[in-house]
Amino acid sequence: MAPVTPTRDSGALAEQARKVRIEILKMLTASGSGHTGGSLSSADIVTALYFYKLRHRPLEPDWPGRDRFILSKGHAAPVLYTALALSGYFDTGLLKDLRKIGCPLQGHPSSKLLKGVEVSTGSLGQGLSIANGIALGLRLDNSPARVYCLLGDGETQEGQVWEAAMTAGHYMLDNLCAIVDLNELQIDGKCEDVMKVEPVAGKWRAFNWHVFEIDGHNMSQIIDTLDEAEHIKGKPSVILARTVKGKGVSFFEGKAEYHGVTPTAEELEKALKELSSNGK
């Protein structure tokens, strides 16, 4: 597949996000195993990154000048795999083999198995620390490349996230942008019931971060904020993106039980009809 040409057209990106959601649902149904809710909630964010913001070369995945993307919430691997495939890193036909033995598309991303995956992730809370190290390295190399790290809101219950936030603020890593997928749900229910982390924005500001708060499904807001974050100097940026778990499929939206449950064949058929009608 030829690499997709980047665009800043929010309508075209929204349409691309719809395609991403369709591929996510197909691959999860084929696999019968994987994470549906968090993959769908972050689809608009990841689409904006891969099809607009990131400087990357799918046919030259190790290009030194590339921006780095780290999926700290590694269980949402289907959204990353779909973005990589639709960008041209590998054939989309591979998506149907998600989680099969021998397939590079494992349940959590592996940088040893798949080009385009910068860091193996899945143990929650570690991605931002790794992003810090990469950002510091790029700074030492005088590279203009930037680092983007996507976290889940349930993930921010991990203490290491706040140690990493403190570190990035201390070293004024303005080449680092964290994005938090704030869908308010995790596998055991509401985040606020499991371990409340609100108020979120004040915590990041306390560690010397520039904070943006947006609607994580408003494509215009997402791309405008990604642009603005690039111009923040002297401190890292964090985008707190309010989202809906399972976004795009009415019977998945806002339901914690679909955190790690895949669609049945009947649910897939119904979901594809919804996504098809939404795209008209």
Side-chain angles (χ1 to χ4, degrees):
M1 174 183 290
V4 173
T5 302
T7 180
R8 202 185 183 287
D9 184 322
S10 60
L13 287 168
E15 169 61 14
Q16 186 67 21
R18 186 181 70 86
K19 294 177 181 176
V20 167
R21 287 188 165 92
I22 288 172
E23 293 299 330
I24 288 171
L25 293 168
K26 287 181 177 178
M27 70 190 298
L28 284 167
T29 304
S31 169
S33 175
H35 293 79
T36 301
S39 297
L40 293 175
S41 69
S42 56
D44 296 295
I45 298 164
V46 174
T47 296
L49 285 169
Y50 273 87
F51 299 96
Y52 167 57
K53 178 48 65 179
L54 290 183
R55 289 167 290 192
H56 64 135
R57 297 177 180 176
L59 300 181
E60 192 181 348
D62 296 323
W63 173 52
R66 70 192 184 282
D67 292 332
R68 275 67 166 178
F69 173 71
I70 298 170
L71 182 68
S72 190
K73 46 176 275 181
H75 56 277
V79 69
L80 173 59
Y81 295 152
T82 301
L84 290 173
L86 294 179
S87 295
Y89 282 86
F90 57 85
D91 192 279
T92 54
L94 191 61
L95 295 175
K96 70 181 186 319
D97 293 330
L98 172 72
R99 289 188 172 221
K100 290 183 179 176
I101 294 175
C103 177
L105 311 185
Q106 289 300 293
H108 295 82
S110 171
S111 59
K112 291 184 177 179
L113 297 177
L114 188 65
K115 288 291 185 183
V117 174
E118 294 286 350
V119 175
S120 299
T121 54
S123 297
L124 295 176
Q126 300 179 1
L128 190 58
S129 295
I130 300 170
N132 284 346
I134 295 174
L136 283 165
L138 291 171
R139 176 192 282 178
L140 288 172
D141 290 340
N142 293 314
S143 171
R146 291 176 57 76
V147 184
Y148 296 88
C149 180
L150 179 63
L151 304 99
D153 50 358
E155 183 182 9
T156 62
Q157 296 161 347
E158 300 280 353
Q160 185 172 340
V161 170
W162 301 108
E163 293 180 72
M166 180 168 52
T167 301
H170 175 79
Y171 288 106
M172 299 183 287
L173 297 178
D174 54 15
N175 59 347
L176 170 63
C177 179
I179 306 166
V180 183
D181 180 13
L182 281 165
N183 60 41
E184 301 182 352
L185 294 173
Q186 58 191 106
I187 192 168
D188 292 323
K190 293 183 179 179
C191 294
E192 65 176 5
D193 293 335
V194 177
M195 181 62 71
K196 186 176 181 180
V197 295
E198 295 281 0
V200 178
K203 289 182 172 65
W204 290 93
R205 288 193 182 98
F207 289 125
N208 195 37
W209 286 65
H210 188 96
V211 178
F212 297 94
E213 297 184 75
I214 66 168
D215 176 347
H217 300 307
N218 184 318
M219 191 59 77
S220 295
Q221 278 192 30
I222 296 171
I223 59 178
D224 286 348
T225 306
L226 287 170
D227 285 348
E228 194 174 343
E230 206 163 7
H231 297 289
I232 300 300
K233 300 301 179 186
K235 59 174 63 177
S237 299
V238 59
I239 299 172
L240 304 178
R242 299 283 175 184
T243 61
V244 175
K245 196 125 181 171
K247 178 66 176 180
V249 181
S250 62
F251 47 94
F252 291 156
E253 289 186 358
K255 295 182 178 177
E257 55 264 40
Y258 282 100
H259 175 95
V261 174
T262 57
T264 64
E266 292 75 20
E267 288 173 333
L268 174 64
E269 182 179 2
K270 186 178 176 182
L272 294 182
K273 285 181 180 177
E274 283 194 10
L275 286 167
S276 176
S277 62
N278 289 340
K280 291 180 180 178

